[in-house]
Amino acid sequence: MFQTVRLVSSLLLGIAFLMLGVGALSTLLAFRMGSAGYGPGVVGAVMSGYFVGIVVGTSFCHRLIVNVGHIRTFAALGSLASAATLAHAIVLDPWLWGALRFVVGFCCVGMYMCTESWLNEKSDNSVRGQVFSLYQIVLYLCQGLGQFLLNVPDESGLLLFVVNSILMSLAVIPVAITRVSAPSLPEPVRFRFAVLWRTSPTGMTGSFACGLIMGSVYGLGPLYAQRIGFDAQRTAEFMGALIIGGLLLQWPIGKISDRIDRRVVIAGVTAASVAVSLAIVGRDSGSGLVLLALTALFGGLSFTLYPLSVAYTNDHLAPSELVAASGGLIMAYGVGASLGPASASVAMNVFGAGGLFAYNAAVSGLMLLFVLWRMRARASVPMAEQGAFTPMPLTSPVVSELDPRAES
């Protein structure tokens, strides 16, 4: 394990710098647009650009990696993401910022694909699970810590963009000078959505619903915090609690799903998400630690919906089909995340700041009803035939190849 970690340490360091910059940038943009007086509709449309870039970039970046290699692709995309981040400081224009969000999302998914295929190549089956877990910890922890860059004093309005751009540039260095040989990148094989739907309607719907929820809170969470009276520091704490909560609760909830019908756990998670979302509606800056605790709990429940959906889908598949199906599920998530900020902005326009969590309560409630219907329509998988739950990061389809369940 130590030898493997030493071998991939440059990759993990690069992704750590990237997540610090990416995590901070999203929150900074939404906060700045809110301060400039833009409404939820404009903010939601701009923030959707990032997830559209991820969906579009998945296939294009694969061809780029095959044609020019991992190191050149990572370096080129990292440089482009750094330049796009700095370009936000030129002028606050929603059209420009929406285009730049698309560029950053496009670049990030390509960098994830480079890193994940590299990690998969260098991790043998005896340490794959540990490397996979370490990668997720780096992702979530650095993204969460990146939120607190919002606290850096920036009277000029330029400094924070410069800091985020520097972090993305630094992400290139450890990868560009690594001595680790680059792996080959296999052709992507993905279930057609129609086949995936017939295999697991619950898994596909859960992935899409998770995208709607997570896209909305990533895109509009900072605006929500600002509108209930939080300053930059408290907004950073709010978003940090959301992301760190998502890291902490996946494992215990997943272990429960290994012992009972996984759909019961999905139903429980969505029901709890409805309750927590409604508990957040109507709260303001005076709620303090109670609101942060509820936000962390909401993050833990919401982040868990996608890996639960993957695990449930895998229970109906042969091991050889896992990678292809996971690629389809993360694409379903990406489509949902692209729609989430724009659709949630409608609720915020109608109901005010609390409309964001009213929207998420509605999405979770609809998912709950769907799961209950599917429990009546299809028998559960016997406990002895259920696979093991594994937390899944929301990055690129390539991450499924690093999943220990894909060893066979």
Side-chain angles (χ1 to χ4, degrees):
M1 177 62 186
F2 176 78
Q3 177 69 14
T4 302
V5 171
R6 186 178 66 83
L7 194 63
V8 301
S9 58
S10 59
L11 306 175
L12 295 176
L13 181 59
I15 210 69
F17 280 125
L18 177 64
M19 296 312 297
L20 285 169
V22 171
L25 180 62
S26 177
T27 302
L28 171 63
L29 296 179
F31 192 84
R32 287 282 175 89
M33 283 189 286
S35 299
Y38 287 103
V42 174
V43 177
V46 170
M47 303 310 287
S48 291
Y50 175 83
F51 299 104
V52 175
I54 286 181
V55 173
V56 173
T58 298
S59 58
F60 281 91
C61 289
H62 183 277
R63 291 198 289 270
L64 182 62
I65 295 169
V66 170
N67 289 332
V68 305
H70 285 68
I71 292 179
R72 289 177 179 174
T73 299
F74 194 96
L77 294 177
S79 297
L80 180 57
S82 177
T85 297
L86 198 56
H88 285 89
I90 296 174
V91 61
L92 201 173
D93 178 77
W95 289 100
L96 173 64
W97 278 23
L100 293 174
R101 289 302 290 158
F102 175 87
V103 172
V104 172
F106 183 97
C107 293
C108 284
V109 75
M111 297 170 80
Y112 296 146
M113 291 171 71
C114 289
T115 303
E116 290 161 4
S117 60
W118 230 324
L119 291 173
N120 179 57
E121 178 78 7
K122 301 306 173 185
S123 304
D124 62 36
N125 290 346
S126 64
V127 296
R128 185 184 301 273
Q130 294 96 315
V131 172
F132 188 58
S133 298
L134 183 59
Y135 175 59
Q136 293 189 81
I137 291 171
V138 171
L139 281 171
Y140 285 119
L141 186 60
C142 291
Q143 187 182 26
L145 293 175
Q147 306 302 312
F148 295 93
L149 290 174
L150 200 64
N151 297 331
V152 175
D154 184 11
E155 295 181 2
S156 67
L158 175 64
L159 178 60
L160 287 176
F161 291 112
V162 172
V163 170
N164 291 330
S165 178
I166 290 172
L167 288 168
M168 293 184 187
S169 296
L170 289 175
V172 174
I173 297 175
V175 176
I177 64 175
T178 185
R179 299 173 62 184
V180 180
S181 58
S184 59
L185 189 65
E187 283 296 321
V189 180
R190 188 175 302 122
F191 269 31
R192 295 191 303 274
F193 279 154
V195 177
L196 190 56
W197 173 262
R198 290 196 297 268
T199 301
S200 178
T202 299
M204 188 172 176
T205 305
S207 299
F208 178 74
C210 183
L212 290 173
I213 294 169
M214 298 313 302
S216 71
V217 293
Y218 271 133
L220 295 172
L223 182 64
Y224 162 83
Q226 188 179 51
R227 291 202 163 186
I228 64 170
F230 279 179
D231 58 12
Q233 178 180 346
R234 298 303 301 277
T235 299
E237 293 172 356
F238 173 84
M239 294 301 295
L242 174 78
I243 296 167
I244 300 301
L247 171 65
L248 295 178
L249 289 186
Q250 286 197 43
W251 187 85
I253 292 176
K255 292 298 105 177
I256 295 173
S257 78
D258 285 341
R259 293 176 170 82
I260 61 176
D261 183 351
R262 227 181 289 274
R263 292 174 302 180
V264 173
V265 179
I266 294 175
V269 165
T270 51
S273 184
V274 171
V276 173
S277 297
L278 293 177
I280 293 175
V281 173
R283 294 189 178 272
D284 55 26
S285 58
S287 301
L289 292 177
V290 174
L291 179 55
L292 292 181
L294 288 171
T295 303
L297 181 57
F298 173 84
L301 295 167
S302 301
F303 275 79
T304 306
L305 181 57
Y306 175 74
L308 283 173
S309 300
V310 173
Y312 178 75
T313 301
N314 291 344
D315 292 338
H316 296 276
L317 298 172
S320 60
E321 298 174 313
L322 185 150
V323 172
S326 295
L329 292 175
I330 203 165
M331 287 299 290
Y333 165 84
V335 172
S338 300
L339 299 173
S343 54
S345 68
V346 177
M348 290 187 73
N349 279 325
V350 174
F351 300 108
L356 174 62
F357 286 95
Y359 166 85
N360 286 319
V363 173
S364 298
L366 290 173
M367 181 62 199
L368 172 61
L369 294 176
F370 183 85
V371 174
L372 294 176
W373 171 65
R374 290 301 304 168
M375 290 175 69
R376 294 175 60 88
R378 187 177 194 176
S380 62
V381 176
M383 293 297 104
E385 298 179 15
Q386 280 195 178
F389 172 91
T390 298
M392 292 290 292
L394 299 166
T395 49
S396 84
V398 179
V399 76
S400 58
E401 297 175 8
L402 186 60
D403 186 342
R405 294 170 296 191
E407 291 174 9
S408 55

